[in-house]
mmCIF file of all heavy atoms in Angstrom:
data_model
loop_
_atom_site.group_PDB
_atom_site.id
_atom_site.type_symbol
_atom_site.label_atom_id
_atom_site.label_comp_id
_atom_site.label_asym_id
_atom_site.label_seq_id
_atom_site.Cartn_x
_atom_site.Cartn_y
_atom_site.Cartn_z
ATOM 1 N N MET A 1 0.852 -1.193 0.000
ATOM 2 C CA MET A 1 0.000 0.000 0.000
ATOM 3 C C MET A 1 0.884 1.238 0.000
ATOM 4 O O MET A 1 1.856 1.309 0.758
ATOM 5 C CB MET A 1 -0.917 -0.002 1.223
ATOM 6 C CG MET A 1 -1.842 1.185 1.302
ATOM 7 S SD MET A 1 -3.064 1.028 2.615
ATOM 8 C CE MET A 1 -4.091 -0.299 1.953
ATOM 9 N N PRO A 2 0.555 2.252 -0.838
ATOM 10 C CA PRO A 2 1.376 3.472 -0.891
ATOM 11 C C PRO A 2 1.403 4.182 0.462
ATOM 12 O O PRO A 2 0.431 4.164 1.217
ATOM 13 C CB PRO A 2 0.660 4.326 -1.945
ATOM 14 C CG PRO A 2 -0.156 3.370 -2.744
ATOM 15 C CD PRO A 2 -0.551 2.274 -1.808
ATOM 16 N N VAL A 3 2.545 4.811 0.744
ATOM 17 C CA VAL A 3 2.703 5.572 1.979
ATOM 18 C C VAL A 3 2.174 6.977 1.772
ATOM 19 O O VAL A 3 2.572 7.659 0.823
ATOM 20 C CB VAL A 3 4.181 5.609 2.407
ATOM 21 C CG1 VAL A 3 4.365 6.525 3.612
ATOM 22 C CG2 VAL A 3 4.686 4.205 2.708
ATOM 23 N N ALA A 4 1.274 7.416 2.658
ATOM 24 C CA ALA A 4 0.732 8.771 2.577
ATOM 25 C C ALA A 4 1.639 9.721 3.354
ATOM 26 O O ALA A 4 2.401 9.319 4.232
ATOM 27 C CB ALA A 4 -0.678 8.805 3.141
ATOM 28 N N THR A 5 1.570 10.995 3.017
ATOM 29 C CA THR A 5 2.302 12.017 3.764
ATOM 30 C C THR A 5 1.318 13.051 4.282
ATOM 31 O O THR A 5 0.241 13.254 3.714
ATOM 32 C CB THR A 5 3.360 12.711 2.882
ATOM 33 O OG1 THR A 5 2.723 13.316 1.750
ATOM 34 C CG2 THR A 5 4.422 11.722 2.420
ATOM 35 N N LEU A 6 1.699 13.714 5.371
ATOM 36 C CA LEU A 6 0.805 14.655 6.029
ATOM 37 C C LEU A 6 1.629 15.823 6.558
ATOM 38 O O LEU A 6 2.622 15.611 7.259
ATOM 39 C CB LEU A 6 0.084 13.957 7.188
ATOM 40 C CG LEU A 6 -1.161 14.607 7.771
ATOM 41 C CD1 LEU A 6 -2.286 14.662 6.746
ATOM 42 C CD2 LEU A 6 -1.627 13.825 9.001
ATOM 43 N N PRO A 7 1.229 17.070 6.246
ATOM 44 C CA PRO A 7 1.947 18.208 6.827
ATOM 45 C C PRO A 7 1.864 18.167 8.349
ATOM 46 O O PRO A 7 0.886 17.682 8.926
ATOM 47 C CB PRO A 7 1.191 19.423 6.267
ATOM 48 C CG PRO A 7 0.469 18.927 5.059
ATOM 49 C CD PRO A 7 0.148 17.495 5.340
ATOM 50 N N ALA A 8 2.884 18.678 9.009
ATOM 51 C CA ALA A 8 2.930 18.634 10.467
ATOM 52 C C ALA A 8 1.735 19.348 11.094
ATOM 53 O O ALA A 8 1.196 18.891 12.114
ATOM 54 C CB ALA A 8 4.234 19.249 10.958
ATOM 55 N N THR A 9 1.300 20.448 10.506
ATOM 56 C CA THR A 9 0.148 21.178 11.060
ATOM 57 C C THR A 9 -1.111 20.319 11.032
ATOM 58 O O THR A 9 -1.934 20.373 11.954
ATOM 59 C CB THR A 9 -0.091 22.473 10.272
ATOM 60 O OG1 THR A 9 -0.154 22.168 8.859
ATOM 61 C CG2 THR A 9 1.032 23.472 10.501
ATOM 62 N N GLU A 10 -1.250 19.507 9.988
ATOM 63 C CA GLU A 10 -2.406 18.619 9.897
ATOM 64 C C GLU A 10 -2.234 17.424 10.827
ATOM 65 O O GLU A 10 -3.213 16.920 11.402
ATOM 66 C CB GLU A 10 -2.568 18.143 8.454
ATOM 67 C CG GLU A 10 -3.812 17.310 8.192
ATOM 68 C CD GLU A 10 -5.109 18.102 8.274
ATOM 69 O OE1 GLU A 10 -5.045 19.353 8.361
ATOM 70 O OE2 GLU A 10 -6.191 17.478 8.248
ATOM 71 N N ALA A 11 -0.986 16.976 11.007
ATOM 72 C CA ALA A 11 -0.729 15.869 11.929
ATOM 73 C C ALA A 11 -1.113 16.250 13.355
ATOM 74 O O ALA A 11 -1.636 15.420 14.111
ATOM 75 C CB ALA A 11 0.739 15.461 11.860
ATOM 76 N N LEU A 12 -0.890 17.504 13.737
ATOM 77 C CA LEU A 12 -1.313 17.967 15.062
ATOM 78 C C LEU A 12 -2.814 17.810 15.227
ATOM 79 O O LEU A 12 -3.288 17.317 16.254
ATOM 80 C CB LEU A 12 -0.939 19.448 15.250
ATOM 81 C CG LEU A 12 0.293 19.771 16.085
ATOM 82 C CD1 LEU A 12 1.560 19.403 15.313
ATOM 83 C CD2 LEU A 12 0.332 21.256 16.441
ATOM 84 N N ARG A 13 -3.545 18.215 14.231
ATOM 85 C CA ARG A 13 -5.011 18.191 14.306
ATOM 86 C C ARG A 13 -5.554 16.773 14.301
ATOM 87 O O ARG A 13 -6.539 16.465 14.980
ATOM 88 C CB ARG A 13 -5.599 18.992 13.137
ATOM 89 C CG ARG A 13 -7.098 19.221 13.227
ATOM 90 C CD ARG A 13 -7.602 20.019 12.032
ATOM 91 N NE ARG A 13 -7.521 19.268 10.802
ATOM 92 C CZ ARG A 13 -8.420 18.384 10.395
ATOM 93 N NH1 ARG A 13 -9.482 18.118 11.146
ATOM 94 N NH2 ARG A 13 -8.275 17.747 9.249
ATOM 95 N N ARG A 14 -4.910 15.878 13.560
ATOM 96 C CA ARG A 14 -5.423 14.519 13.382
ATOM 97 C C ARG A 14 -4.692 13.478 14.221
ATOM 98 O O ARG A 14 -4.862 12.274 14.009
ATOM 99 C CB ARG A 14 -5.320 14.140 11.896
ATOM 100 C CG ARG A 14 -6.271 14.921 10.987
ATOM 101 C CD ARG A 14 -6.077 14.543 9.534
ATOM 102 N NE ARG A 14 -6.062 13.089 9.336
ATOM 103 C CZ ARG A 14 -5.724 12.492 8.186
ATOM 104 N NH1 ARG A 14 -5.383 13.236 7.137
ATOM 105 N NH2 ARG A 14 -5.731 11.180 8.084
ATOM 106 N N LEU A 15 -3.901 13.908 15.196
ATOM 107 C CA LEU A 15 -3.034 12.996 15.928
ATOM 108 C C LEU A 15 -3.781 11.802 16.505
ATOM 109 O O LEU A 15 -3.301 10.663 16.454
ATOM 110 C CB LEU A 15 -2.318 13.762 17.053
ATOM 111 C CG LEU A 15 -1.320 12.963 17.884
ATOM 112 C CD1 LEU A 15 -0.196 12.414 17.003
ATOM 113 C CD2 LEU A 15 -0.751 13.827 18.998
ATOM 114 N N ASP A 16 -4.953 12.038 17.053
ATOM 115 C CA ASP A 16 -5.681 10.968 17.736
ATOM 116 C C ASP A 16 -6.395 10.015 16.777
ATOM 117 O O ASP A 16 -7.017 9.048 17.230
ATOM 118 C CB ASP A 16 -6.693 11.571 18.714
ATOM 119 C CG ASP A 16 -6.015 12.301 19.866
ATOM 120 O OD1 ASP A 16 -4.880 11.924 20.210
ATOM 121 O OD2 ASP A 16 -6.603 13.253 20.398
ATOM 122 N N THR A 17 -6.306 10.265 15.487
ATOM 123 C CA THR A 17 -6.959 9.367 14.534
ATOM 124 C C THR A 17 -6.065 8.187 14.139
ATOM 125 O O THR A 17 -6.529 7.274 13.457
ATOM 126 C CB THR A 17 -7.384 10.122 13.253
ATOM 127 O OG1 THR A 17 -6.213 10.562 12.544
ATOM 128 C CG2 THR A 17 -8.252 11.318 13.599
ATOM 129 N N PHE A 18 -4.805 8.217 14.562
ATOM 130 C CA PHE A 18 -3.872 7.138 14.213
ATOM 131 C C PHE A 18 -3.831 6.107 15.343
ATOM 132 O O PHE A 18 -3.920 6.442 16.518
ATOM 133 C CB PHE A 18 -2.481 7.705 13.945
ATOM 134 C CG PHE A 18 -2.436 8.623 12.755
ATOM 135 C CD1 PHE A 18 -2.538 10.000 12.909
ATOM 136 C CD2 PHE A 18 -2.330 8.109 11.475
ATOM 137 C CE1 PHE A 18 -2.528 10.846 11.817
ATOM 138 C CE2 PHE A 18 -2.317 8.953 10.361
ATOM 139 C CZ PHE A 18 -2.425 10.318 10.539
ATOM 140 N N ASP A 19 -3.668 4.851 14.965
ATOM 141 C CA ASP A 19 -3.626 3.773 15.954
ATOM 142 C C ASP A 19 -2.346 3.814 16.783
ATOM 143 O O ASP A 19 -2.357 3.531 17.982
ATOM 144 C CB ASP A 19 -3.743 2.416 15.262
ATOM 145 C CG ASP A 19 -5.068 2.240 14.550
ATOM 146 O OD1 ASP A 19 -6.090 2.678 15.104
ATOM 147 O OD2 ASP A 19 -5.071 1.678 13.440
ATOM 148 N N THR A 20 -1.243 4.151 16.133
ATOM 149 C CA THR A 20 0.066 4.180 16.794
ATOM 150 C C THR A 20 0.888 5.294 16.176
ATOM 151 O O THR A 20 0.785 5.569 14.980
ATOM 152 C CB THR A 20 0.816 2.840 16.597
ATOM 153 O OG1 THR A 20 -0.036 1.750 16.953
ATOM 154 C CG2 THR A 20 2.089 2.784 17.426
ATOM 155 N N VAL A 21 1.698 5.956 17.007
ATOM 156 C CA VAL A 21 2.667 6.934 16.515
ATOM 157 C C VAL A 21 4.052 6.323 16.728
ATOM 158 O O VAL A 21 4.381 5.889 17.832
ATOM 159 C CB VAL A 21 2.549 8.281 17.259
ATOM 160 C CG1 VAL A 21 3.547 9.282 16.673
ATOM 161 C CG2 VAL A 21 1.129 8.818 17.187
ATOM 162 N N ILE A 22 4.861 6.268 15.672
ATOM 163 C CA ILE A 22 6.167 5.613 15.730
ATOM 164 C C ILE A 22 7.272 6.628 15.457
ATOM 165 O O ILE A 22 7.291 7.286 14.413
ATOM 166 C CB ILE A 22 6.271 4.464 14.716
ATOM 167 C CG1 ILE A 22 5.164 3.429 14.967
ATOM 168 C CG2 ILE A 22 7.638 3.800 14.782
ATOM 169 C CD1 ILE A 22 5.135 2.308 13.946
ATOM 170 N N ASP A 23 8.196 6.727 16.395
ATOM 171 C CA ASP A 23 9.373 7.586 16.281
ATOM 172 C C ASP A 23 10.526 6.706 15.817
ATOM 173 O O ASP A 23 10.985 5.825 16.549
ATOM 174 C CB ASP A 23 9.668 8.204 17.649
ATOM 175 C CG ASP A 23 10.832 9.179 17.630
ATOM 176 O OD1 ASP A 23 11.545 9.245 16.612
ATOM 177 O OD2 ASP A 23 11.029 9.876 18.658
ATOM 178 N N ALA A 24 11.011 6.955 14.608
ATOM 179 C CA ALA A 24 12.078 6.132 14.041
ATOM 180 C C ALA A 24 13.468 6.650 14.385
ATOM 181 O O ALA A 24 14.467 6.100 13.904
ATOM 182 C CB ALA A 24 11.918 6.050 12.516
ATOM 183 N N ARG A 25 13.550 7.691 15.197
ATOM 184 C CA ARG A 25 14.857 8.230 15.588
ATOM 185 C C ARG A 25 15.516 7.364 16.666
ATOM 186 O O ARG A 25 14.935 6.394 17.154
ATOM 187 C CB ARG A 25 14.688 9.662 16.107
ATOM 188 C CG ARG A 25 14.094 10.646 15.087
ATOM 189 C CD ARG A 25 13.818 11.992 15.726
ATOM 190 N NE ARG A 25 12.931 11.837 16.882
ATOM 191 C CZ ARG A 25 12.838 12.718 17.868
ATOM 192 N NH1 ARG A 25 13.586 13.810 17.856
ATOM 193 N NH2 ARG A 25 11.989 12.521 18.867
ATOM 194 N N SER A 26 16.705 7.741 17.065
ATOM 195 C CA SER A 26 17.441 6.973 18.073
ATOM 196 C C SER A 26 16.833 7.157 19.454
ATOM 197 O O SER A 26 15.999 8.041 19.683
ATOM 198 C CB SER A 26 18.906 7.423 18.095
ATOM 199 O OG SER A 26 18.987 8.758 18.580
#
């Protein structure tokens, strides 16, 4: 499935609509 992208401002508004938030940093 293609990966979607989302501007950070929209990610703030829609944060609770995602099942999991994953930080790929160290």
Side-chain angles (χ1 to χ4, degrees):
M1 181 172 291
V3 174
T5 59
L6 197 64
T9 51
E10 185 69 9
L12 258 72
R13 189 180 68 82
R14 291 178 49 190
L15 183 60
D16 293 332
T17 66
F18 296 96
D19 297 321
T20 309
V21 182
I22 302 176
D23 183 350
R25 300 174 304 158
S26 67

